Amino acid sequence: MSNRGSILIICSGNVCRSPYLCHLLTRVVDQAWGSGAMPVTCAGLEGLTGAAMESRSAAALAERGVDATGFVAQRITAGLVDEAALVLTMTRRQRSALLKSWPAAMKRSFTVADFVHLGGFVGDAQLPTRTAPDGWVREVADLVNGQRGMHAPLSPEEADIADPFGRDDAVHEAMVTRIDDFMPGLSRLLGA
């Protein structure tokens, strides 16, 4: 297990939620740490390998000035999990599925909502000293993991970001809004 400081974002098919967050987060951490210094990638538990990003997610990124051209979905692999210092899932069920195959990822995996929620209890003074991005990600994952069990958990509805794949535009818009709402908390925790 190398845990070189990368961030892995997981959803079901890797065509809606995870690539949307992956592209937004990449832009933010690249601006803060330098291009590629804190790698962000995404995959699906049932990855629609080789598929393009769902058109509504790509359009929402374009509206935010992010180009998703050339994105290709992939299925999760042991290598991706092993490389990640932080693994973010869209639902608790996905986190549970991840941990069945990769139990060693327990302390560094969270739903996006749980990571931001628990990270809110980590004060700015507790955040790592700005050094290398790989160390930062590992330290923040440890700090947030240390908050588990110390605060009331989010309800399942609060913890999960619904899958908009094959569903109406309202579900997709709700997904975009939820992820956009998490960006300030994610940015803070990732030193951006």
Side-chain angles (χ1 to χ4, degrees):
M1 171 172 44
S2 70
N3 290 255
R4 71 177 190 94
S6 66
I7 300 164
L8 175 61
I9 302 167
I10 297 171
C11 70
S12 299
N14 191 219
V15 294
C16 296
R17 295 171 290 178
S18 60
Y20 179 77
L21 177 56
C22 182
H23 281 78
L24 287 179
L25 202 53
T26 296
R27 177 177 63 180
V28 168
V29 298
D30 279 358
Q31 289 172 347
W33 292 96
S35 182
M38 188 182 282
V40 183
T41 192
C42 60
L45 291 169
E46 299 103 32
L48 300 172
T49 304
M53 187 183 307
E54 198 267 349
S55 62
R56 296 175 298 178
S57 291
L61 285 169
E63 289 170 8
R64 287 149 183 79
V66 179
D67 182 13
T69 304
F71 173 81
V72 178
Q74 64 180 337
R75 184 177 287 238
I76 192 170
T77 65
L80 289 171
V81 176
D82 289 346
E83 281 289 310
L86 174 63
V87 182
L88 298 173
T89 66
M90 298 294 148
T91 69
R92 287 185 176 155
R93 180 172 285 162
Q94 290 166 349
R95 181 173 181 267
S96 294
L98 166 80
L99 295 177
K100 283 181 184 175
S101 296
W102 294 282
M106 184 181 338
K107 292 182 180 180
R108 57 190 165 94
S109 65
F110 310 82
T111 68
V112 174
D114 286 328
F115 183 72
V116 172
H117 170 70
L118 293 171
F121 296 104
V122 175
D124 290 344
Q126 295 172 278
L127 290 173
T129 303
R130 192 165 182 100
T131 56
D134 57 341
W136 181 285
V137 176
R138 282 192 299 273
E139 286 184 55
V140 166
D142 287 345
L143 286 167
V144 174
N145 182 58
Q147 298 299 313
R148 284 187 170 128
M150 300 188 64
H151 309 282
L154 295 174
S155 70
E157 295 78 25
E158 293 171 311
D160 292 351
I161 300 172
D163 189 354
F165 187 73
R167 298 173 72 189
D168 65 36
D169 289 344
V171 177
H172 191 274
E173 290 168 14
M175 179 273 297
V176 166
T177 299
R178 294 262 346 258
I179 291 175
D180 287 352
D181 288 349
F182 290 130
M183 288 306 296
L186 287 168
S187 297
R188 175 185 164 270
L189 290 168
L190 296 173

